[in-house]
Amino acid sequence: MRVPSFARRGHWVGPLIAVTIGGASWMLLRAPHPATESMPLAAAGSEAPKAGGPPWLYGRADARFTVVGYADLECPYCRAYFPALKRWIDAHPEVNWQWHHLPLSMHEPAATAGARLAECAGEAGGYTTFWRAVAWLYSSTRGDGQGLPEGLHYPELTPGMQGCLDSDRPDAVIRAQMVEAAEQGISATPALQLRDRGTGKTVLLHGPVEGDALLSAIDLLAAGGTTVAEPAHSADMPTGVAGDMPR
């Protein structure tokens, strides 16, 4: 499989800095436009199994690279980044996307309520239903911990999904993913861990990362290198801000 080479196209941004693969950290790149758009999610079809999560996968199950995305369903930066990352995954079949919940205390209890709903949608209907629920939550929530408007209910609620919501099964999944994030020092959303199944190497990226920078990280992992480009800071956000931070 030919891995796209961002570096060969000569588009590195800023000076190179040395990092350690497996624990590398990038600051924020330019955030996508904050407007939430209507985003019909393509059915996984033959590219991913119908069920088997969590963690829930989007894209080809046999992709060499995986973007593990840690996200909060009340995080405005995550909401803005969600359709952009989905489009990028659609355009790069060598990469899939694995969802991990990281509800932040500043957005509770709405963040965990959203995560529970998404998990139960996935349990009831598989991958496609999970991602459709995530898209609905981002398009419907008021964000920043305000949750869904009063009286608004998920339109695809089924008895099986309600049974899941009445249980503690989604809570166990969410807690496990939060523990994993803490073990890796991840405390802000969005955060991405890029994994290379070919080499076993990983790199941790903080903030909404543009597609070209993801390609450069893929090149880095595929080559087994130890340098990455330092990304430019967004003009739309304060320098050093990498999404939502817990309080």
Side-chain angles (χ1 to χ4, degrees), residues 195-214:
R195 299 176 179 175
D196 182 354
R197 291 173 58 191
T199 65
K201 295 182 180 295
T202 66
V203 62
L204 181 61
L205 312 174
H206 289 288
V209 180
E210 289 184 325
D212 281 348
L214 284 171

Side-chain angles (χ1 to χ4, degrees), residues 153-178:
H153 302 287
Y154 185 59
E156 299 182 31
L157 186 67
T158 64
M161 187 175 167
Q162 185 61 58
C164 171
L165 288 169
D166 292 339
S167 75
D168 61 0
R169 294 193 299 275
D171 301 293
V173 172
I174 295 163
R175 282 196 301 269
Q177 294 181 357
M178 292 176 68

